[in-house]
Amino acid sequence: MPAGLAPGPRVGPSSGAAPVTMGADVIVVGAGAFGCNAAWHLRRRGLEVLVVEAVDRPATQATGAAAGFVAQFSSVHHSEWGEVEWGMQRYGIGFYADLAGRCGRDIGFCPCGIAYIYQSREGWERAQVAIEAARALETQLEALTAGRASEVVPEIRFERTAGTVFDPTAIRLRAGDAIAALAAEVALQGVRFEYGAAVEALLGAGEGRIRGVQTSRGDFVSSRVLLATGAWTRPLLARVGVQLAAEPVVVARYTTRPLAGIRRQMPMLMFSDSEHRFWIRAERGGLLIGGADPKPLPDDRRVDAALPPFVHQLPGDHAIRMRENVRKVEDILPALKEADIDEIKAGMPCYTDDRLFAASAVADVEGLYVLAACNEAGITHGPALGRHMAELITDGETELDGSRYDLARLSRG
Ligand SMILES: Cc1cc2nc3c(=O)[nH]c(=O)nc-3n(C[C@H](O)[C@H](O)[C@H](O)COP(=O)(O)OP(=O)(O)OC[C@H]3O[C@@H](n4cnc5c(N)ncnc54)[C@H](O)[C@@H]3O)c2cc1C
């Protein structure tokens, strides 16, 4: 086990550590994108917040592996996301732009825009409905001409594509660095972080009223607990008899060494009608590359949802396959010819059938809340979901229609 990862976010028996009885208005469990965004918004509403995190620092798990695409994905990238998510995506873009401006750290922020590339005429024609729907939401999708493509994305050979649309409002960031910066900011604002404290039990859940959490470093008390524990939310809820129908799946991506001809401002690229739906962006002079496997899901991407491993225990096979698969589009992006693997990172986003999040109170356990089921989009939607949870926890009134993300829909047998 790498230094700093003990004791780990496993749900296991108590280590018998000396009890601590630190209290807070609300305990947020997990210091990933969801937990830190929730902590920021809760603090802004004046609450005393304690973040309890199993490992020794923030943003190490799915958040540390994320590719950092933040864009108005509604309808153009995912048909399941509509107007509600569109507003959340817009909030996320603004939130991270502000964070980049004020945090004084390099979080890899770049307002580079995003280009959706279609390789086949059929794919391009089929996409028109989704493109029009996105435009109806006011996403600024510009269909590129050859002349504009040579200005906006000179890295690609436009003549090898069937069509490309460009959204200039999208941003990219290094998600792990951005969320670590957010954690540092909320710590300065008075949010307390208890690292190396793996939650093992939810105190009071059996009696229907949360009293706090039992961790590997003792107990922490609060009448409100928010679980923002990524892939580990499902086993934690299972312990109190609550089902969460969200499947953790291994997603790996890789970065290359610096490559000739890749500009820092290169828009993020989505190969939207490729069977692999490659997503590629500039990173430190090279590229960051990921994509999908055709179905069925290979075994190396499956994990035991009841006992999810740490990210450092995840295999990188998915990224190794992508290195080979991405050769299929090197006629469009010639830099891919040299795009060998320098570093692989993997995480476990959790997917729901409806591709929507779990962001609600837990019925039957007063004071227990959940923010999970990220559907591989928790960086983008994290700020708005964090705001939503802060509203729900402080006064119960939320701007978003909470029923859309109610855990109950994922808890039916
Ligand atoms: C390869 C890859 C690419 C991605 N690209 C993008 C992208 O471009 N854009 C985007 O929006 N999203 C992207 N995502 C998705 C994004 O990473 C996730 O949606 C987001 O990080 C989820 O954050 P989280 O806080 O829920 O989970 P995590 O980051 O996993 O955080 C959960 C935290 O809870 C802690 N924890 C767990 N159990 C316990 C316990 N018992 N006690 C205490 N602490 C505990 C863990 O240690 C961890 O720190 C990508 C994901 C991957 C893997």
Side-chain angles (χ1 to χ4, degrees):
M1 180 181 291
L5 281 179
R10 292 205 178 276
V11 180
S14 170
S15 61
V20 183
T21 45
M22 192 190 284
D25 292 334
V26 57
I27 294 174
V28 175
V29 186
F34 277 176
C36 291
N37 271 300
W40 192 92
H41 287 87
L42 285 160
R43 185 69 192 132
R44 195 180 166 86
R45 292 185 146 243
L47 267 65
E48 291 295 322
V49 184
L50 170 66
V51 179
V52 174
E53 165 56 52
V55 305
D56 70 345
R57 58 194 185 280
T60 59
Q61 302 296 305
T63 301
F69 287 58
V70 180
Q72 309 256 221
F73 291 125
S74 277
S75 95
V76 66
H77 183 56
H78 264 307
S79 56
E80 293 88 346
W81 297 337
E83 192 171 0
V84 177
E85 290 72 33
W86 190 89
M88 295 164 69
Q89 294 150 13
R90 188 165 66 168
Y91 181 72
I93 291 170
F95 184 87
Y96 291 120
D98 289 348
L99 176 68
R102 68 177 185 255
C103 74
R105 295 180 177 206
D106 174 13
I107 61 168
F109 176 83
C110 186
C112 54
I114 189 166
Y116 300 91
I117 297 170
Y118 299 85
Q119 296 168 260
S120 70
R121 186 127 307 276
E122 307 80 68
W124 175 240
E125 277 162 16
R126 233 181 301 119
Q128 295 311 306
V129 175
I131 290 170
E132 280 317 311
R135 284 188 178 133
L137 293 170
E138 293 181 21
T139 306
Q140 297 171 34
L141 286 176
E142 176 191 359
L144 296 183
T145 59
R148 277 287 288 152
S150 66
E151 285 169 26
V152 176
V153 220
E155 290 85 356
I156 67 162
R157 287 198 183 145
F158 182 73
E159 67 281 8
R160 301 286 170 92
T161 72
T164 298
V165 282
F166 175 61
D167 170 6
T169 65
I171 61 160
R172 70 164 197 259
L173 38 78
R174 274 195 299 279
D177 292 346
I179 299 304
L182 189 60
E185 181 173 281
V186 292
L188 282 175
Q189 291 166 356
V191 170
R192 287 171 295 153
F193 283 79
E194 198 66 36
Y195 289 113
V199 167
E200 297 163 339
L202 301 170
L203 302 172
E207 300 94 64
R209 181 84 191 83
I210 205 80
R211 283 188 285 107
V213 292
Q214 175 190 310
T215 82
S216 51
R217 297 190 51 192
D219 296 352
F220 298 95
V221 296
S222 178
S223 58
R224 289 175 285 196
V225 170
L226 169 62
L227 293 180
T229 37
W232 297 272
T233 310
R234 183 165 149 174
L236 276 170
L237 284 174
R239 290 196 133 207
V240 296
V242 176
Q243 191 194 347
L244 171 62
E247 281 306 315
V249 172
V250 178
V251 180
R253 49 73 164 182
Y254 77 93
T255 43
T256 71
R257 291 184 188 282
L259 297 168
I262 299 298
R263 297 166 308 138
R264 183 175 183 276
Q265 278 295 336
M266 182 184 89
M268 298 177 284
L269 307 176
M270 288 275 189
F271 286 79
S272 298
D273 65 342
S274 152
E275 63 175 333
H276 301 291
R277 301 193 89 197
F278 298 114
W279 28 271
I280 299 175
R281 69 167 179 80
E283 171 65 16
R284 299 185 199 273
L287 294 172
L288 183 153
I289 297 171
D293 282 303
K295 287 186 175 130
L297 197 68
D299 284 347
D300 58 272
R301 297 190 56 198
R302 297 176 194 277
V303 292
D304 178 359
L307 203 61
F310 280 119
V311 294
H312 72 273
Q313 296 166 321
L314 299 177
D317 307 40
H318 180 206
I320 295 167
R321 277 193 300 278
M322 282 312 131
R323 169 56 194 127
E324 290 313 308
N325 291 334
V326 84
R327 293 185 194 282
K328 295 176 190 169
V329 293
E330 63 186 26
D331 59 328
I332 296 177
L333 181 61
L336 290 171
K337 291 188 178 121
E338 310 295 329
D340 292 329
I341 296 173
D342 183 42
E343 186 187 17
I344 293 176
K345 285 192 178 174
M348 287 171 298
C350 298
Y351 301 86
T352 56
D353 285 345
D354 61 10
R355 290 289 178 271
L356 299 178
F357 317 102
S360 74
V362 178
D364 301 332
V365 185
E366 204 185 329
L368 182 60
Y369 299 85
V370 67
L371 178 51
C374 75
N375 284 284
E376 207 182 323
I379 307 303
T380 302
H381 298 89
L385 288 168
R387 181 184 59 180
H388 175 68
M389 293 313 298
E391 289 168 357
L392 188 64
I393 290 169
T394 46
D395 55 22
E397 294 284 313
T398 61
E399 197 180 307
L400 297 175
D401 171 10
S403 64
R404 195 165 168 80
Y405 307 129
D406 197 339
L407 174 68
R409 79 186 198 286
L410 304 169
S411 294
R412 295 183 193 111

